[in-house]
Amino acid sequence: MMMTLLSGDGPRSRLLAVILTCILIGLALAPFLFPGVRSVDTAARICVFILLVASYDLMLGYGGIVSFAHTMFFGMGAYGVALACTHMERGFAGLIVGAGAGALLAALVALLIGLFSLRVRAIFFAMITLAVASAVAVLVSQLSGLTGGEDGLSFKTPRELTPAFKFGDPLFGVKLNGKLLSYYLVFFGSFILFLLLLRIVNSPFGRVLQAIRENDFRTEAIGY
């Protein structure tokens, strides 16, 4: 069952398997092992950055493509959620619309960048992505009225994800409130997307990415 979830791509050694299992258990039980708002927020950030690094590994580790614009797309998704929650009524609709809009914008920008940047290779491709990322960073800073600039944005999440929402009596000294729900939304969302990335790298598409990394000329010659 576990190997099926991992798409047959288990850890390469028992020691690594033990370490990864401990990390997974630690994050799954973080609100109970490390009670406190700051600790839970830190654990949630760890979940998000694990997913961010895994997604970059798909491009660099499996595709051999060096890009300096990866976090730019991450930021588009984040701003999509933040702006939607700011300008829409408080609720889950803002999260859903914002996540969808951010993902769509990131896909469109990636397509536009790819139309001209993929015509070059190696360091030239990396420099183009760096230039685009730098230009977007300056643009976001200049549009401070919309993006908040260096200060970022403060927005309201659904009430069900705030400490004010309580759904039970304390469990092992931990308050059962919206803050706990918010953490597990991030945790399970990151976990499911991580498993999806594992599925991608172990699919025929993932094998093609690895072939491109090893020898792009030969891969193109056989029809990919």
Side-chain angles (χ1 to χ4, degrees), residues 54-210:
S55 65
Y56 191 66
D57 182 52
L58 174 64
M59 180 170 59
L60 178 60
Y62 287 86
I65 301 171
V66 180
S67 170
F68 292 108
H70 194 70
T71 52
M72 176 185 72
F73 301 112
F74 171 74
M76 289 178 181
Y79 268 115
V81 173
L83 290 172
C85 290
T86 299
H87 298 287
M88 295 179 63
E89 293 184 2
R90 187 175 187 179
F92 286 97
L95 295 180
I96 297 172
V97 172
L104 180 60
L105 176 62
L108 291 175
V109 173
L111 176 62
L112 292 176
I113 296 174
L115 289 176
F116 60 87
S117 64
L118 289 178
R119 297 178 182 275
V120 296
R121 299 173 182 237
I123 189 64
F124 304 104
F125 173 82
M127 290 300 99
I128 287 178
T129 60
L130 177 61
V132 173
S134 300
V136 171
V138 172
L139 180 64
V140 169
S141 179
Q142 293 296 318
L143 297 176
S144 57
L146 177 66
T147 64
E150 301 294 332
D151 297 325
L153 290 173
S154 296
F155 58 91
K156 294 181 179 180
T157 58
R159 184 179 179 278
E160 291 80 6
L161 300 180
T162 63
F165 178 76
K166 295 179 173 57
F167 59 91
D169 297 326
L171 179 64
F172 301 116
V174 176
K175 296 179 180 178
L176 302 183
N177 56 22
K179 189 69 177 178
L180 187 67
L181 293 178
S182 177
Y183 173 75
Y184 280 110
L185 176 64
V186 173
F187 172 77
F188 284 111
S190 300
F191 183 64
I192 292 171
L193 289 173
F194 184 84
L195 293 179
L196 178 61
L197 286 173
L198 270 180
R199 179 64 267 168
I200 291 174
V201 300
N202 289 287
S203 67
F205 173 72
R207 302 304 183 195
V208 172
L209 283 181
Q210 295 175 61

